[in-house]
Amino acid sequence: MRINLFVLLFWLTFIAGCSRKIDNETARQEIIQLLQQERKAHFDRNVDLFVSEFSDSMISVNKGKVTMNTPAENKKRIEPYFSRVKFIKWDDLAEPLIRISDDCSLAYAVIQKEVILTYPDTSGKPLYDTSYFAWTSIYRKQNGEWKVECNVSTNK
């Protein structure tokens, strides 16, 4: 009887461990899909698609400032930028580093990108700009969906 109980506990522990790995890999794939969605949003200049993955009170750390904006405020902030620029390159310089919490409720991704874009000068002539960005996005699972809760960004 004790041996059967031991075997049962062993298998339950093993199955639970495998289940966590599957959930973790599923979460990782979901984050990768969000990163691909961000790329698409930039090239399509689709502000709604981009901000759709932000939480209702996303915290942004950028240019020495900490801000917390609503989705409407984020949209208003990003629209002029997306309407003014055209992305030529928005590519990873390294594989994103993605970490998922054991309970698959929190995750973060560390990204490095080269961004090349064009925008018109005052005469309408296109200017080109190349930047190198690194950022960390922190995600929280909300109602079955990953949402960016915090983004810390810098550029070189």
Tab-separated table of all heavy atoms in Angstrom, residues 40-91:
chain	number	residue	atom	x	y	z
A	40	LYS	N	4.504	44.095	-36.744
A	40	LYS	CA	3.472	44.342	-37.755
A	40	LYS	C	2.823	45.706	-37.530
A	40	LYS	O	2.618	46.461	-38.488
A	40	LYS	CB	2.420	43.234	-37.720
A	40	LYS	CG	1.277	43.428	-38.707
A	40	LYS	CD	0.326	42.260	-38.700
A	40	LYS	CE	-0.883	42.427	-39.591
A	40	LYS	NZ	-0.761	43.183	-40.796
A	41	ALA	N	2.515	46.021	-36.295
A	41	ALA	CA	1.886	47.306	-35.979
A	41	ALA	C	2.777	48.472	-36.409
A	41	ALA	O	2.279	49.479	-36.920
A	41	ALA	CB	1.576	47.399	-34.487
A	42	HIS	N	4.077	48.337	-36.226
A	42	HIS	CA	4.994	49.406	-36.628
A	42	HIS	C	5.018	49.561	-38.156
A	42	HIS	O	4.917	50.671	-38.664
A	42	HIS	CB	6.400	49.141	-36.092
A	42	HIS	CG	6.587	49.571	-34.680
A	42	HIS	ND1	6.046	48.881	-33.619
A	42	HIS	CD2	7.241	50.625	-34.152
A	42	HIS	CE1	6.361	49.499	-32.492
A	42	HIS	NE2	7.090	50.560	-32.781
A	43	PHE	N	5.172	48.458	-38.877
A	43	PHE	CA	5.237	48.554	-40.332
A	43	PHE	C	3.904	48.990	-40.934
A	43	PHE	O	3.883	49.713	-41.936
A	43	PHE	CB	5.718	47.241	-40.952
A	43	PHE	CG	7.211	47.111	-40.936
A	43	PHE	CD1	7.848	46.385	-39.955
A	43	PHE	CD2	7.987	47.746	-41.897
A	43	PHE	CE1	9.225	46.273	-39.925
A	43	PHE	CE2	9.371	47.648	-41.874
A	43	PHE	CZ	9.985	46.911	-40.885
A	44	ASP	N	2.798	48.552	-40.348
A	44	ASP	CA	1.469	48.957	-40.830
A	44	ASP	C	1.046	50.320	-40.283
A	44	ASP	O	0.004	50.832	-40.670
A	44	ASP	CB	0.413	47.915	-40.443
A	44	ASP	CG	0.610	46.591	-41.158
A	44	ASP	OD1	1.447	46.518	-42.087
A	44	ASP	OD2	-0.068	45.615	-40.779
A	45	ARG	N	1.854	50.839	-39.348
A	45	ARG	CA	1.535	52.098	-38.652
A	45	ARG	C	0.129	52.022	-38.041
A	45	ARG	O	-0.647	52.963	-38.088
A	45	ARG	CB	1.704	53.288	-39.583
A	45	ARG	CG	3.134	53.376	-40.097
A	45	ARG	CD	3.472	54.608	-40.815
A	45	ARG	NE	2.687	54.787	-42.033
A	45	ARG	CZ	2.889	55.783	-42.877
A	45	ARG	NH1	3.819	56.670	-42.646
A	45	ARG	NH2	2.158	55.913	-43.943
A	46	ASN	N	-0.137	50.878	-37.423
A	46	ASN	CA	-1.448	50.582	-36.853
A	46	ASN	C	-1.400	50.814	-35.337
A	46	ASN	O	-1.008	49.931	-34.572
A	46	ASN	CB	-1.828	49.137	-37.185
A	46	ASN	CG	-3.221	48.786	-36.764
A	46	ASN	OD1	-3.789	49.361	-35.830
A	46	ASN	ND2	-3.791	47.796	-37.435
A	47	VAL	N	-1.783	51.995	-34.930
A	47	VAL	CA	-1.718	52.377	-33.518
A	47	VAL	C	-2.642	51.496	-32.682
A	47	VAL	O	-2.268	51.057	-31.594
A	47	VAL	CB	-2.080	53.871	-33.335
A	47	VAL	CG1	-2.070	54.255	-31.864
A	47	VAL	CG2	-1.127	54.744	-34.108
A	48	ASP	N	-3.848	51.221	-33.188
A	48	ASP	CA	-4.803	50.398	-32.431
A	48	ASP	C	-4.239	49.010	-32.150
A	48	ASP	O	-4.373	48.498	-31.038
A	48	ASP	CB	-6.139	50.284	-33.174
A	48	ASP	CG	-6.896	51.597	-33.196
A	48	ASP	OD1	-6.834	52.346	-32.193
A	48	ASP	OD2	-7.557	51.882	-34.213
A	49	LEU	N	-3.612	48.399	-33.144
A	49	LEU	CA	-3.009	47.078	-32.943
A	49	LEU	C	-1.894	47.160	-31.907
A	49	LEU	O	-1.795	46.302	-31.027
A	49	LEU	CB	-2.464	46.536	-34.269
A	49	LEU	CG	-1.822	45.158	-34.221
A	49	LEU	CD1	-2.831	44.092	-33.778
A	49	LEU	CD2	-1.226	44.806	-35.587
A	50	PHE	N	-1.093	48.205	-31.995
A	50	PHE	CA	0.029	48.359	-31.073
A	50	PHE	C	-0.447	48.529	-29.632
A	50	PHE	O	0.010	47.833	-28.736
A	50	PHE	CB	0.901	49.531	-31.509
A	50	PHE	CG	2.170	49.691	-30.726
A	50	PHE	CD1	3.052	48.636	-30.563
A	50	PHE	CD2	2.504	50.910	-30.161
A	50	PHE	CE1	4.231	48.784	-29.846
A	50	PHE	CE2	3.674	51.074	-29.449
A	50	PHE	CZ	4.539	50.007	-29.291
A	51	VAL	N	-1.367	49.440	-29.398
A	51	VAL	CA	-1.803	49.702	-28.024
A	51	VAL	C	-2.754	48.625	-27.492
A	51	VAL	O	-3.008	48.579	-26.289
A	51	VAL	CB	-2.432	51.107	-27.848
A	51	VAL	CG1	-1.440	52.187	-28.211
A	51	VAL	CG2	-3.718	51.253	-28.596
A	52	SER	N	-3.236	47.741	-28.355
A	52	SER	CA	-4.151	46.684	-27.899
A	52	SER	C	-3.496	45.745	-26.903
A	52	SER	O	-4.187	45.078	-26.132
A	52	SER	CB	-4.691	45.885	-29.087
A	52	SER	OG	-3.677	45.071	-29.660
A	53	GLU	N	-2.181	45.695	-26.901
A	53	GLU	CA	-1.511	44.800	-25.960
A	53	GLU	C	-1.076	45.497	-24.673
A	53	GLU	O	-0.508	44.875	-23.793
A	53	GLU	CB	-0.331	44.094	-26.624
A	53	GLU	CG	0.782	44.986	-27.073
A	53	GLU	CD	1.842	44.217	-27.832
A	53	GLU	OE1	1.545	43.655	-28.894
A	53	GLU	OE2	2.986	44.185	-27.334
A	54	PHE	N	-1.377	46.783	-24.540
A	54	PHE	CA	-1.051	47.517	-23.320
A	54	PHE	C	-2.126	47.289	-22.263
A	54	PHE	O	-3.309	47.247	-22.582
A	54	PHE	CB	-0.973	49.019	-23.578
A	54	PHE	CG	0.121	49.462	-24.512
A	54	PHE	CD1	0.239	50.792	-24.848
A	54	PHE	CD2	1.030	48.583	-25.070
A	54	PHE	CE1	1.222	51.251	-25.710
A	54	PHE	CE2	2.027	49.009	-25.930
A	54	PHE	CZ	2.125	50.345	-26.243
A	55	SER	N	-1.710	47.216	-21.008
A	55	SER	CA	-2.677	47.157	-19.914
A	55	SER	C	-3.350	48.526	-19.778
A	55	SER	O	-2.893	49.513	-20.346
A	55	SER	CB	-2.004	46.764	-18.599
A	55	SER	OG	-1.231	47.829	-18.108
A	56	ASP	N	-4.426	48.571	-19.020
A	56	ASP	CA	-5.177	49.819	-18.854
A	56	ASP	C	-4.378	50.910	-18.146
A	56	ASP	O	-4.720	52.084	-18.254
A	56	ASP	CB	-6.482	49.571	-18.096
A	56	ASP	CG	-7.494	48.858	-18.970
A	56	ASP	OD1	-7.322	48.841	-20.209
A	56	ASP	OD2	-8.468	48.306	-18.431
A	57	SER	N	-3.345	50.528	-17.427
A	57	SER	CA	-2.525	51.535	-16.735
A	57	SER	C	-1.044	51.173	-16.881
A	57	SER	O	-0.330	51.016	-15.911
A	57	SER	CB	-2.920	51.630	-15.267
A	57	SER	OG	-2.799	50.366	-14.652
A	58	MET	N	-0.613	51.067	-18.142
A	58	MET	CA	0.762	50.676	-18.421
A	58	MET	C	1.735	51.751	-17.930
A	58	MET	O	1.525	52.942	-18.145
A	58	MET	CB	0.978	50.453	-19.912
A	58	MET	CG	2.368	49.903	-20.201
A	58	MET	SD	2.726	49.729	-21.940
A	58	MET	CE	3.244	51.374	-22.349
A	59	ILE	N	2.799	51.295	-17.301
A	59	ILE	CA	3.867	52.171	-16.824
A	59	ILE	C	4.957	52.185	-17.885
A	59	ILE	O	5.364	51.136	-18.384
A	59	ILE	CB	4.438	51.675	-15.482
A	59	ILE	CG1	3.349	51.654	-14.416
A	59	ILE	CG2	5.632	52.523	-15.055
A	59	ILE	CD1	3.727	50.862	-13.183
A	60	SER	N	5.429	53.384	-18.226
A	60	SER	CA	6.494	53.532	-19.201
A	60	SER	C	7.659	54.260	-18.543
A	60	SER	O	7.464	55.272	-17.875
A	60	SER	CB	5.988	54.333	-20.405
A	60	SER	OG	7.038	54.549	-21.322
A	61	VAL	N	8.855	53.716	-18.741
A	61	VAL	CA	10.077	54.356	-18.259
A	61	VAL	C	10.908	54.646	-19.496
A	61	VAL	O	11.351	53.724	-20.187
A	61	VAL	CB	10.856	53.444	-17.282
A	61	VAL	CG1	12.111	54.149	-16.790
A	61	VAL	CG2	9.972	53.008	-16.128
A	62	ASN	N	11.059	55.951	-19.805
A	62	ASN	CA	11.732	56.332	-21.036
A	62	ASN	C	12.232	57.771	-20.910
A	62	ASN	O	11.524	58.629	-20.374
A	62	ASN	CB	10.749	56.206	-22.207
A	62	ASN	CG	11.418	56.277	-23.549
A	62	ASN	OD1	12.622	56.422	-23.663
A	62	ASN	ND2	10.619	56.168	-24.597
A	63	LYS	N	13.422	58.012	-21.424
A	63	LYS	CA	14.016	59.357	-21.433
A	63	LYS	C	14.031	59.994	-20.051
A	63	LYS	O	13.758	61.182	-19.893
A	63	LYS	CB	13.279	60.243	-22.432
A	63	LYS	CG	13.388	59.733	-23.857
A	63	LYS	CD	12.652	60.611	-24.832
A	63	LYS	CE	12.758	59.985	-26.214
A	63	LYS	NZ	11.974	60.711	-27.208
A	64	GLY	N	14.308	59.209	-19.035
A	64	GLY	CA	14.421	59.727	-17.674
A	64	GLY	C	13.102	60.016	-16.994
A	64	GLY	O	13.085	60.630	-15.932
A	65	LYS	N	11.987	59.581	-17.591
A	65	LYS	CA	10.672	59.840	-17.018
A	65	LYS	C	9.901	58.547	-16.801
A	65	LYS	O	10.030	57.594	-17.565
A	65	LYS	CB	9.844	60.730	-17.946
A	65	LYS	CG	10.389	62.117	-18.130
A	65	LYS	CD	9.478	62.913	-19.052
A	65	LYS	CE	10.076	64.273	-19.343
A	65	LYS	NZ	9.271	65.012	-20.318
A	66	VAL	N	9.077	58.559	-15.748
A	66	VAL	CA	8.153	57.464	-15.477
A	66	VAL	C	6.753	58.020	-15.688
A	66	VAL	O	6.380	59.025	-15.086
A	66	VAL	CB	8.302	56.940	-14.026
A	66	VAL	CG1	7.269	55.865	-13.738
A	66	VAL	CG2	9.719	56.425	-13.785
A	67	THR	N	5.995	57.373	-16.575
A	67	THR	CA	4.621	57.814	-16.837
A	67	THR	C	3.690	56.615	-16.765
A	67	THR	O	4.108	55.474	-16.967
A	67	THR	CB	4.478	58.476	-18.226
A	67	THR	OG1	4.903	57.542	-19.233
A	67	THR	CG2	5.290	59.743	-18.328
A	68	MET	N	2.431	56.895	-16.467
A	68	MET	CA	1.401	55.857	-16.480
A	68	MET	C	0.228	56.437	-17.261
A	68	MET	O	-0.356	57.437	-16.860
A	68	MET	CB	0.972	55.469	-15.068
A	68	MET	CG	0.020	54.303	-15.082
A	68	MET	SD	-0.344	53.500	-13.490
A	68	MET	CE	0.100	54.646	-12.260
A	69	ASN	N	-0.044	55.832	-18.414
A	69	ASN	CA	-1.065	56.350	-19.310
A	69	ASN	C	-2.188	55.345	-19.525
A	69	ASN	O	-1.962	54.136	-19.498
A	69	ASN	CB	-0.453	56.694	-20.672
A	69	ASN	CG	0.546	57.813	-20.589
A	69	ASN	OD1	0.321	58.807	-19.912
A	69	ASN	ND2	1.668	57.662	-21.270
A	70	THR	N	-3.355	55.872	-19.811
A	70	THR	CA	-4.493	55.044	-20.198
A	70	THR	C	-4.292	54.638	-21.659
A	70	THR	O	-3.480	55.237	-22.375
A	70	THR	CB	-5.810	55.823	-20.076
A	70	THR	OG1	-5.785	56.885	-21.046
A	70	THR	CG2	-6.019	56.374	-18.672
A	71	PRO	N	-5.050	53.658	-22.135
A	71	PRO	CA	-4.950	53.310	-23.559
A	71	PRO	C	-5.225	54.504	-24.480
A	71	PRO	O	-4.533	54.692	-25.481
A	71	PRO	CB	-6.008	52.214	-23.729
A	71	PRO	CG	-6.073	51.564	-22.387
A	71	PRO	CD	-5.896	52.708	-21.401
A	72	ALA	N	-6.196	55.330	-24.137
A	72	ALA	CA	-6.511	56.505	-24.964
A	72	ALA	C	-5.336	57.483	-24.981
A	72	ALA	O	-5.005	58.049	-26.034
A	72	ALA	CB	-7.768	57.190	-24.442
A	73	GLU	N	-4.690	57.683	-23.836
A	73	GLU	CA	-3.531	58.578	-23.771
A	73	GLU	C	-2.362	58.014	-24.572
A	73	GLU	O	-1.655	58.757	-25.260
A	73	GLU	CB	-3.120	58.813	-22.317
A	73	GLU	CG	-4.113	59.647	-21.536
A	73	GLU	CD	-3.861	59.632	-20.036
A	73	GLU	OE1	-3.312	58.634	-19.505
A	73	GLU	OE2	-4.228	60.638	-19.390
A	74	ASN	N	-2.161	56.699	-24.482
A	74	ASN	CA	-1.092	56.064	-25.266
A	74	ASN	C	-1.358	56.218	-26.753
A	74	ASN	O	-0.451	56.521	-27.532
A	74	ASN	CB	-0.938	54.592	-24.895
A	74	ASN	CG	-0.109	54.416	-23.648
A	74	ASN	OD1	0.903	55.088	-23.460
A	74	ASN	ND2	-0.526	53.525	-22.781
A	75	LYS	N	-2.596	56.006	-27.146
A	75	LYS	CA	-2.956	56.146	-28.563
A	75	LYS	C	-2.698	57.570	-29.036
A	75	LYS	O	-2.102	57.779	-30.094
A	75	LYS	CB	-4.419	55.751	-28.775
A	75	LYS	CG	-4.826	55.774	-30.217
A	75	LYS	CD	-6.244	55.280	-30.404
A	75	LYS	CE	-6.633	55.380	-31.872
A	75	LYS	NZ	-7.966	54.889	-32.142
A	76	LYS	N	-3.112	58.544	-28.256
A	76	LYS	CA	-2.925	59.955	-28.612
A	76	LYS	C	-1.436	60.306	-28.707
A	76	LYS	O	-1.025	61.087	-29.558
A	76	LYS	CB	-3.615	60.840	-27.574
A	76	LYS	CG	-3.579	62.300	-27.903
A	76	LYS	CD	-4.310	63.122	-26.856
A	76	LYS	CE	-4.236	64.605	-27.178
A	76	LYS	NZ	-4.891	65.419	-26.170
A	77	ARG	N	-0.627	59.687	-27.844
A	77	ARG	CA	0.815	59.942	-27.830
A	77	ARG	C	1.505	59.299	-29.036
A	77	ARG	O	2.424	59.871	-29.629
A	77	ARG	CB	1.396	59.383	-26.528
A	77	ARG	CG	2.886	59.535	-26.347
A	77	ARG	CD	3.354	58.978	-25.010
A	77	ARG	NE	3.012	57.580	-24.791
A	77	ARG	CZ	3.746	56.555	-25.218
A	77	ARG	NH1	4.855	56.775	-25.900
A	77	ARG	NH2	3.381	55.312	-24.971
A	78	ILE	N	1.048	58.115	-29.446
A	78	ILE	CA	1.727	57.345	-30.495
A	78	ILE	C	1.247	57.713	-31.903
A	78	ILE	O	2.016	57.642	-32.852
A	78	ILE	CB	1.560	55.836	-30.218
A	78	ILE	CG1	2.285	55.470	-28.916
A	78	ILE	CG2	2.097	54.997	-31.366
A	78	ILE	CD1	1.954	54.103	-28.377
A	79	GLU	N	-0.011	58.120	-32.048
A	79	GLU	CA	-0.569	58.410	-33.378
A	79	GLU	C	0.267	59.392	-34.201
A	79	GLU	O	0.556	59.115	-35.370
A	79	GLU	CB	-2.007	58.918	-33.260
A	79	GLU	CG	-3.012	57.811	-33.229
A	79	GLU	CD	-4.449	58.302	-33.090
A	79	GLU	OE1	-4.680	59.382	-32.493
A	79	GLU	OE2	-5.335	57.590	-33.578
A	80	PRO	N	0.676	60.533	-33.638
A	80	PRO	CA	1.464	61.467	-34.457
A	80	PRO	C	2.786	60.854	-34.943
A	80	PRO	O	3.217	61.107	-36.071
A	80	PRO	CB	1.730	62.648	-33.519
A	80	PRO	CG	0.708	62.551	-32.452
A	80	PRO	CD	0.389	61.087	-32.312
A	81	TYR	N	3.408	60.056	-34.101
A	81	TYR	CA	4.666	59.398	-34.465
A	81	TYR	C	4.437	58.414	-35.604
A	81	TYR	O	5.132	58.457	-36.623
A	81	TYR	CB	5.251	58.709	-33.230
A	81	TYR	CG	6.478	57.889	-33.483
A	81	TYR	CD1	7.667	58.486	-33.898
A	81	TYR	CD2	6.469	56.510	-33.292
A	81	TYR	CE1	8.810	57.732	-34.122
A	81	TYR	CE2	7.609	55.746	-33.501
A	81	TYR	CZ	8.771	56.361	-33.920
A	81	TYR	OH	9.894	55.617	-34.144
A	82	PHE	N	3.451	57.523	-35.455
A	82	PHE	CA	3.180	56.533	-36.493
A	82	PHE	C	2.754	57.194	-37.804
A	82	PHE	O	3.081	56.700	-38.878
A	82	PHE	CB	2.103	55.556	-36.028
A	82	PHE	CG	2.632	54.325	-35.325
A	82	PHE	CD1	3.856	54.307	-34.694
A	82	PHE	CD2	1.865	53.172	-35.275
A	82	PHE	CE1	4.332	53.184	-34.045
A	82	PHE	CE2	2.322	52.028	-34.626
A	82	PHE	CZ	3.558	52.037	-34.017
A	83	SER	N	2.028	58.297	-37.731
A	83	SER	CA	1.557	58.939	-38.961
A	83	SER	C	2.687	59.691	-39.675
A	83	SER	O	2.607	59.936	-40.873
A	83	SER	CB	0.401	59.891	-38.667
A	83	SER	OG	0.839	60.981	-37.897
A	84	ARG	N	3.742	60.024	-38.954
A	84	ARG	CA	4.839	60.817	-39.505
A	84	ARG	C	5.969	59.969	-40.091
A	84	ARG	O	6.627	60.385	-41.047
A	84	ARG	CB	5.402	61.704	-38.391
A	84	ARG	CG	6.360	62.737	-38.860
A	84	ARG	CD	6.660	63.742	-37.743
A	84	ARG	NE	7.937	64.360	-38.021
A	84	ARG	CZ	8.992	64.281	-37.245
A	84	ARG	NH1	8.928	63.659	-36.103
A	84	ARG	NH2	10.110	64.859	-37.582
A	85	VAL	N	6.192	58.791	-39.531
A	85	VAL	CA	7.346	57.991	-39.942
A	85	VAL	C	6.924	56.778	-40.768
A	85	VAL	O	5.775	56.341	-40.725
A	85	VAL	CB	8.169	57.507	-38.719
A	85	VAL	CG1	8.641	58.670	-37.878
A	85	VAL	CG2	7.391	56.503	-37.882
A	86	LYS	N	7.894	56.272	-41.514
A	86	LYS	CA	7.712	55.017	-42.243
A	86	LYS	C	8.886	54.122	-41.855
A	86	LYS	O	10.052	54.529	-41.969
A	86	LYS	CB	7.707	55.255	-43.750
A	86	LYS	CG	7.528	53.982	-44.538
A	86	LYS	CD	7.528	54.247	-46.035
A	86	LYS	CE	7.398	52.930	-46.770
A	86	LYS	NZ	7.659	53.100	-48.199
A	87	PHE	N	8.581	52.928	-41.382
A	87	PHE	CA	9.628	52.024	-40.923
A	87	PHE	C	10.215	51.250	-42.094
A	87	PHE	O	9.491	50.696	-42.916
A	87	PHE	CB	9.089	51.056	-39.861
A	87	PHE	CG	8.754	51.759	-38.577
A	87	PHE	CD1	7.484	52.278	-38.363
A	87	PHE	CD2	9.724	51.958	-37.611
A	87	PHE	CE1	7.186	52.960	-37.194
A	87	PHE	CE2	9.431	52.641	-36.443
A	87	PHE	CZ	8.157	53.142	-36.235
A	88	ILE	N	11.523	51.236	-42.159
A	88	ILE	CA	12.247	50.477	-43.171
A	88	ILE	C	12.786	49.194	-42.543
A	88	ILE	O	12.774	48.134	-43.152
A	88	ILE	CB	13.393	51.329	-43.756
A	88	ILE	CG1	12.779	52.538	-44.476
A	88	ILE	CG2	14.270	50.514	-44.689
A	88	ILE	CD1	13.766	53.613	-44.820
A	89	LYS	N	13.230	49.319	-41.301
A	89	LYS	CA	13.774	48.163	-40.587
A	89	LYS	C	13.378	48.273	-39.131
A	89	LYS	O	13.446	49.358	-38.538
A	89	LYS	CB	15.302	48.145	-40.729
A	89	LYS	CG	15.963	46.897	-40.219
A	89	LYS	CD	17.447	46.908	-40.560
A	89	LYS	CE	18.076	45.587	-40.181
A	89	LYS	NZ	19.491	45.526	-40.537
A	90	TRP	N	12.935	47.188	-38.553
A	90	TRP	CA	12.573	47.095	-37.126
A	90	TRP	C	12.907	45.668	-36.719
A	90	TRP	O	12.039	44.826	-36.568
A	90	TRP	CB	11.082	47.405	-36.947
A	90	TRP	CG	10.679	47.894	-35.596
A	90	TRP	CD1	10.864	49.138	-35.087
A	90	TRP	CD2	9.999	47.151	-34.584
A	90	TRP	NE1	10.332	49.211	-33.813
A	90	TRP	CE2	9.801	48.004	-33.491
A	90	TRP	CE3	9.544	45.832	-34.493
A	90	TRP	CZ2	9.173	47.589	-32.328
A	90	TRP	CZ3	8.914	45.428	-33.338
A	90	TRP	CH2	8.735	46.313	-32.268
A	91	ASP	N	14.206	45.388	-36.670
A	91	ASP	CA	14.678	44.001	-36.577
A	91	ASP	C	15.468	43.742	-35.301
A	91	ASP	O	16.226	44.604	-34.831
A	91	ASP	CB	15.557	43.663	-37.783
A	91	ASP	CG	14.780	43.689	-39.090
A	91	ASP	OD1	13.536	43.685	-39.054
A	91	ASP	OD2	15.421	43.732	-40.154
